[in-house]
Amino acid sequence: MAKRRHTLASISQEQAHQALSFLVREGKLAFSTVERALKNRERVVGEIRDRMTKLGVEGFELAEEAVRKTTSGIREAEKASRKPRRQIVSAAVKATRQAQGRYLAAIRPLSKAARKQIKTIREKSGVDAAIASAKKMAR
């Protein structure tokens, strides 16, 4: 199973600065690595700006539209990843489901013919009577 990668989008600049400072102090990360990463970032940002100026106003509008689509896609993905709310179940529905579960557990070890008999008992007398007779038959 692939490892899930976490994004750092949820931390602030100050928290990122503190984390980098801590990692450098602990010797887990070399300061030169941080410097190199910042220089590369500046170079990439400069290249993007150059391309944007070459494209002119139209390119800037296209970039803004792409950013809008990306951020709306991220929001939709976040909404989709949220757990759905559990619906509140009434006591009557809960009791009915539990009775159904007990009924299924009681008829599981029975033969098909015995299950038919239990089904007729359930239709005539109800679930509790069917469960009781199914338990007797299973012995």
Side-chain angles (χ1 to χ4, degrees):
M1 188 168 158
K3 285 187 177 182
R4 184 175 174 191
R5 294 185 182 210
H6 298 282
T7 61
L8 296 176
S10 60
I11 66 171
S12 67
Q13 281 183 325
E14 184 178 330
Q15 290 171 330
H17 179 69
Q18 290 171 353
L20 284 173
S21 299
F22 177 78
L23 290 171
V24 168
R25 260 186 263 123
E26 290 290 312
K28 308 276 183 185
L29 187 64
F31 184 72
S32 60
T33 307
V34 176
E35 273 186 323
R36 198 175 329 118
L38 290 173
K39 285 179 185 176
N40 287 339
R41 181 186 173 276
E42 291 300 321
R43 183 182 48 79
V44 169
V45 169
E47 288 175 4
I48 292 172
R49 285 188 178 143
D50 290 342
R51 290 179 192 168
M52 294 295 290
T53 54
K54 287 179 184 175
L55 290 172
V57 178
E58 294 171 357
F60 184 71
E61 290 171 355
L62 287 173
E64 281 185 333
E65 184 179 336
V67 168
R68 268 188 257 116
K69 286 181 181 178
T70 304
T71 54
S72 67
I74 291 170
R75 284 189 209 116
E76 289 173 9
E78 286 174 352
K79 286 179 185 177
S81 68
R82 290 183 192 148
K83 287 185 179 179
R85 289 185 177 183
R86 289 180 62 182
Q87 290 186 341
I88 297 172
V89 178
S90 68
V93 170
K94 186 177 180 181
T96 304
R97 289 179 180 171
Q98 287 176 342
Q100 177 68 9
R102 286 194 308 272
Y103 172 76
L104 291 173
I107 66 166
R108 184 170 291 126
L110 302 177
S111 65
K112 286 189 178 185
R115 287 181 187 186
K116 284 184 181 180
Q117 290 176 350
I118 299 298
K119 189 174 181 179
T120 57
I121 293 171
R122 180 180 177 169
E123 290 170 357
K124 290 180 184 175
S125 305
V127 176
D128 293 327
I131 292 171
S133 60
K135 286 182 179 179
K136 285 180 186 174
M137 282 186 180
R139 288 186 211 164

PDB file of all heavy atoms in Angstrom, residues 25-43:
ATOM      1  N   ARG A  25      18.884  23.258  13.354  1.00  0.00           N
ATOM      2  CA  ARG A  25      19.527  23.184  14.674  1.00  0.00           C
ATOM      3  C   ARG A  25      19.759  21.745  15.115  1.00  0.00           C
ATOM      4  O   ARG A  25      20.761  21.413  15.721  1.00  0.00           O
ATOM      5  CB  ARG A  25      18.663  23.893  15.729  1.00  0.00           C
ATOM      6  CG  ARG A  25      19.162  25.284  16.038  1.00  0.00           C
ATOM      7  CD  ARG A  25      18.409  25.926  17.178  1.00  0.00           C
ATOM      8  NE  ARG A  25      17.379  26.778  16.592  1.00  0.00           N
ATOM      9  CZ  ARG A  25      16.070  26.683  16.842  1.00  0.00           C
ATOM     10  NH1 ARG A  25      15.610  25.805  17.682  1.00  0.00           N
ATOM     11  NH2 ARG A  25      15.220  27.478  16.254  1.00  0.00           N
ATOM     12  N   GLU A  26      18.827  20.877  14.805  1.00  0.00           N
ATOM     13  CA  GLU A  26      18.934  19.468  15.202  1.00  0.00           C
ATOM     14  C   GLU A  26      19.910  18.694  14.318  1.00  0.00           C
ATOM     15  O   GLU A  26      20.216  17.550  14.602  1.00  0.00           O
ATOM     16  CB  GLU A  26      17.556  18.790  15.134  1.00  0.00           C
ATOM     17  CG  GLU A  26      16.582  19.257  16.186  1.00  0.00           C
ATOM     18  CD  GLU A  26      16.972  18.797  17.581  1.00  0.00           C
ATOM     19  OE1 GLU A  26      17.284  17.611  17.752  1.00  0.00           O
ATOM     20  OE2 GLU A  26      16.963  19.644  18.492  1.00  0.00           O
ATOM     21  N   GLY A  27      20.334  19.294  13.227  1.00  0.00           N
ATOM     22  CA  GLY A  27      21.256  18.622  12.329  1.00  0.00           C
ATOM     23  C   GLY A  27      20.564  17.658  11.370  1.00  0.00           C
ATOM     24  O   GLY A  27      21.211  16.859  10.705  1.00  0.00           O
ATOM     25  N   LYS A  28      19.255  17.725  11.291  1.00  0.00           N
ATOM     26  CA  LYS A  28      18.499  16.855  10.391  1.00  0.00           C
ATOM     27  C   LYS A  28      18.481  17.398   8.968  1.00  0.00           C
ATOM     28  O   LYS A  28      18.198  16.679   8.032  1.00  0.00           O
ATOM     29  CB  LYS A  28      17.039  16.716  10.872  1.00  0.00           C
ATOM     30  CG  LYS A  28      16.867  16.307  12.296  1.00  0.00           C
ATOM     31  CD  LYS A  28      16.942  14.827  12.437  1.00  0.00           C
ATOM     32  CE  LYS A  28      16.680  14.448  13.885  1.00  0.00           C
ATOM     33  NZ  LYS A  28      16.850  13.071  14.142  1.00  0.00           N
ATOM     34  N   LEU A  29      18.771  18.690   8.852  1.00  0.00           N
ATOM     35  CA  LEU A  29      18.704  19.344   7.560  1.00  0.00           C
ATOM     36  C   LEU A  29      19.835  20.361   7.486  1.00  0.00           C
ATOM     37  O   LEU A  29      20.026  21.163   8.399  1.00  0.00           O
ATOM     38  CB  LEU A  29      17.344  20.061   7.434  1.00  0.00           C
ATOM     39  CG  LEU A  29      16.968  20.690   6.125  1.00  0.00           C
ATOM     40  CD1 LEU A  29      16.840  19.632   5.041  1.00  0.00           C
ATOM     41  CD2 LEU A  29      15.642  21.412   6.256  1.00  0.00           C
ATOM     42  N   ALA A  30      20.573  20.320   6.404  1.00  0.00           N
ATOM     43  CA  ALA A  30      21.691  21.250   6.249  1.00  0.00           C
ATOM     44  C   ALA A  30      21.174  22.606   5.784  1.00  0.00           C
ATOM     45  O   ALA A  30      20.246  22.688   4.973  1.00  0.00           O
ATOM     46  CB  ALA A  30      22.695  20.699   5.238  1.00  0.00           C
ATOM     47  N   PHE A  31      21.779  23.662   6.300  1.00  0.00           N
ATOM     48  CA  PHE A  31      21.379  25.011   5.922  1.00  0.00           C
ATOM     49  C   PHE A  31      21.584  25.239   4.430  1.00  0.00           C
ATOM     50  O   PHE A  31      20.784  25.915   3.780  1.00  0.00           O
ATOM     51  CB  PHE A  31      22.162  26.051   6.740  1.00  0.00           C
ATOM     52  CG  PHE A  31      21.735  27.452   6.461  1.00  0.00           C
ATOM     53  CD1 PHE A  31      20.521  27.928   6.920  1.00  0.00           C
ATOM     54  CD2 PHE A  31      22.536  28.309   5.725  1.00  0.00           C
ATOM     55  CE1 PHE A  31      20.117  29.220   6.646  1.00  0.00           C
ATOM     56  CE2 PHE A  31      22.140  29.601   5.449  1.00  0.00           C
ATOM     57  CZ  PHE A  31      20.924  30.063   5.917  1.00  0.00           C
ATOM     58  N   SER A  32      22.627  24.628   3.887  1.00  0.00           N
ATOM     59  CA  SER A  32      22.896  24.788   2.450  1.00  0.00           C
ATOM     60  C   SER A  32      21.758  24.201   1.611  1.00  0.00           C
ATOM     61  O   SER A  32      21.437  24.716   0.538  1.00  0.00           O
ATOM     62  CB  SER A  32      24.218  24.114   2.084  1.00  0.00           C
ATOM     63  OG  SER A  32      24.178  22.732   2.380  1.00  0.00           O
ATOM     64  N   THR A  33      21.114  23.141   2.100  1.00  0.00           N
ATOM     65  CA  THR A  33      19.987  22.541   1.386  1.00  0.00           C
ATOM     66  C   THR A  33      18.818  23.512   1.342  1.00  0.00           C
ATOM     67  O   THR A  33      18.159  23.673   0.306  1.00  0.00           O
ATOM     68  CB  THR A  33      19.555  21.230   2.081  1.00  0.00           C
ATOM     69  OG1 THR A  33      20.682  20.380   2.232  1.00  0.00           O
ATOM     70  CG2 THR A  33      18.472  20.528   1.296  1.00  0.00           C
ATOM     71  N   VAL A  34      18.576  24.184   2.456  1.00  0.00           N
ATOM     72  CA  VAL A  34      17.491  25.169   2.516  1.00  0.00           C
ATOM     73  C   VAL A  34      17.800  26.336   1.582  1.00  0.00           C
ATOM     74  O   VAL A  34      16.928  26.785   0.828  1.00  0.00           O
ATOM     75  CB  VAL A  34      17.281  25.669   3.966  1.00  0.00           C
ATOM     76  CG1 VAL A  34      16.225  26.766   4.020  1.00  0.00           C
ATOM     77  CG2 VAL A  34      16.908  24.513   4.880  1.00  0.00           C
ATOM     78  N   GLU A  35      19.046  26.828   1.613  1.00  0.00           N
ATOM     79  CA  GLU A  35      19.444  27.931   0.732  1.00  0.00           C
ATOM     80  C   GLU A  35      19.272  27.565  -0.732  1.00  0.00           C
ATOM     81  O   GLU A  35      18.754  28.334  -1.529  1.00  0.00           O
ATOM     82  CB  GLU A  35      20.915  28.307   0.984  1.00  0.00           C
ATOM     83  CG  GLU A  35      21.107  29.309   2.072  1.00  0.00           C
ATOM     84  CD  GLU A  35      22.564  29.740   2.150  1.00  0.00           C
ATOM     85  OE1 GLU A  35      23.458  28.894   1.937  1.00  0.00           O
ATOM     86  OE2 GLU A  35      22.799  30.929   2.422  1.00  0.00           O
ATOM     87  N   ARG A  36      19.701  26.352  -1.087  1.00  0.00           N
ATOM     88  CA  ARG A  36      19.597  25.890  -2.473  1.00  0.00           C
ATOM     89  C   ARG A  36      18.125  25.804  -2.906  1.00  0.00           C
ATOM     90  O   ARG A  36      17.774  26.221  -4.010  1.00  0.00           O
ATOM     91  CB  ARG A  36      20.270  24.518  -2.599  1.00  0.00           C
ATOM     92  CG  ARG A  36      20.590  24.146  -4.020  1.00  0.00           C
ATOM     93  CD  ARG A  36      21.382  22.835  -4.152  1.00  0.00           C
ATOM     94  NE  ARG A  36      22.276  22.556  -3.039  1.00  0.00           N
ATOM     95  CZ  ARG A  36      22.168  21.484  -2.234  1.00  0.00           C
ATOM     96  NH1 ARG A  36      21.228  20.594  -2.431  1.00  0.00           N
ATOM     97  NH2 ARG A  36      23.021  21.307  -1.243  1.00  0.00           N
ATOM     98  N   ALA A  37      17.283  25.305  -2.022  1.00  0.00           N
ATOM     99  CA  ALA A  37      15.859  25.195  -2.348  1.00  0.00           C
ATOM    100  C   ALA A  37      15.248  26.580  -2.565  1.00  0.00           C
ATOM    101  O   ALA A  37      14.459  26.778  -3.505  1.00  0.00           O
ATOM    102  CB  ALA A  37      15.120  24.458  -1.234  1.00  0.00           C
ATOM    103  N   LEU A  38      15.616  27.550  -1.728  1.00  0.00           N
ATOM    104  CA  LEU A  38      15.085  28.902  -1.892  1.00  0.00           C
ATOM    105  C   LEU A  38      15.571  29.547  -3.186  1.00  0.00           C
ATOM    106  O   LEU A  38      14.813  30.243  -3.873  1.00  0.00           O
ATOM    107  CB  LEU A  38      15.456  29.765  -0.686  1.00  0.00           C
ATOM    108  CG  LEU A  38      14.743  29.405   0.619  1.00  0.00           C
ATOM    109  CD1 LEU A  38      15.311  30.205   1.774  1.00  0.00           C
ATOM    110  CD2 LEU A  38      13.244  29.619   0.488  1.00  0.00           C
ATOM    111  N   LYS A  39      16.837  29.320  -3.536  1.00  0.00           N
ATOM    112  CA  LYS A  39      17.363  29.862  -4.795  1.00  0.00           C
ATOM    113  C   LYS A  39      16.652  29.246  -5.992  1.00  0.00           C
ATOM    114  O   LYS A  39      16.296  29.945  -6.950  1.00  0.00           O
ATOM    115  CB  LYS A  39      18.868  29.618  -4.896  1.00  0.00           C
ATOM    116  CG  LYS A  39      19.687  30.527  -4.020  1.00  0.00           C
ATOM    117  CD  LYS A  39      21.163  30.236  -4.144  1.00  0.00           C
ATOM    118  CE  LYS A  39      21.974  31.085  -3.171  1.00  0.00           C
ATOM    119  NZ  LYS A  39      23.392  30.754  -3.221  1.00  0.00           N
ATOM    120  N   ASN A  40      16.431  27.946  -5.943  1.00  0.00           N
ATOM    121  CA  ASN A  40      15.704  27.272  -7.032  1.00  0.00           C
ATOM    122  C   ASN A  40      14.285  27.800  -7.153  1.00  0.00           C
ATOM    123  O   ASN A  40      13.777  27.998  -8.259  1.00  0.00           O
ATOM    124  CB  ASN A  40      15.681  25.761  -6.820  1.00  0.00           C
ATOM    125  CG  ASN A  40      17.015  25.116  -7.077  1.00  0.00           C
ATOM    126  OD1 ASN A  40      17.858  25.685  -7.764  1.00  0.00           O
ATOM    127  ND2 ASN A  40      17.219  23.936  -6.512  1.00  0.00           N
ATOM    128  N   ARG A  41      13.674  28.052  -6.004  1.00  0.00           N
ATOM    129  CA  ARG A  41      12.307  28.597  -6.013  1.00  0.00           C
ATOM    130  C   ARG A  41      12.281  29.963  -6.670  1.00  0.00           C
ATOM    131  O   ARG A  41      11.438  30.238  -7.515  1.00  0.00           O
ATOM    132  CB  ARG A  41      11.779  28.682  -4.582  1.00  0.00           C
ATOM    133  CG  ARG A  41      10.374  29.217  -4.502  1.00  0.00           C
ATOM    134  CD  ARG A  41       9.966  29.428  -3.047  1.00  0.00           C
ATOM    135  NE  ARG A  41       8.697  30.084  -2.965  1.00  0.00           N
ATOM    136  CZ  ARG A  41       8.491  31.396  -3.032  1.00  0.00           C
ATOM    137  NH1 ARG A  41       9.510  32.209  -3.205  1.00  0.00           N
ATOM    138  NH2 ARG A  41       7.290  31.911  -2.948  1.00  0.00           N
ATOM    139  N   GLU A  42      13.215  30.806  -6.303  1.00  0.00           N
ATOM    140  CA  GLU A  42      13.291  32.145  -6.888  1.00  0.00           C
ATOM    141  C   GLU A  42      13.524  32.058  -8.393  1.00  0.00           C
ATOM    142  O   GLU A  42      12.949  32.820  -9.175  1.00  0.00           O
ATOM    143  CB  GLU A  42      14.399  32.969  -6.220  1.00  0.00           C
ATOM    144  CG  GLU A  42      14.108  33.351  -4.785  1.00  0.00           C
ATOM    145  CD  GLU A  42      12.842  34.182  -4.655  1.00  0.00           C
ATOM    146  OE1 GLU A  42      12.584  35.051  -5.516  1.00  0.00           O
ATOM    147  OE2 GLU A  42      12.088  33.947  -3.689  1.00  0.00           O
ATOM    148  N   ARG A  43      14.379  31.130  -8.831  1.00  0.00           N
ATOM    149  CA  ARG A  43      14.647  30.954 -10.254  1.00  0.00           C
ATOM    150  C   ARG A  43      13.372  30.538 -10.994  1.00  0.00           C
ATOM    151  O   ARG A  43      13.037  31.096 -12.042  1.00  0.00           O
ATOM    152  CB  ARG A  43      15.737  29.894 -10.457  1.00  0.00           C
ATOM    153  CG  ARG A  43      16.132  29.684 -11.906  1.00  0.00           C
ATOM    154  CD  ARG A  43      17.179  28.585 -12.070  1.00  0.00           C
ATOM    155  NE  ARG A  43      16.898  27.352 -11.365  1.00  0.00           N
ATOM    156  CZ  ARG A  43      16.029  26.407 -11.790  1.00  0.00           C
ATOM    157  NH1 ARG A  43      15.374  26.582 -12.909  1.00  0.00           N
ATOM    158  NH2 ARG A  43      15.848  25.305 -11.096  1.00  0.00           N
TER     159      ARG A  43
END
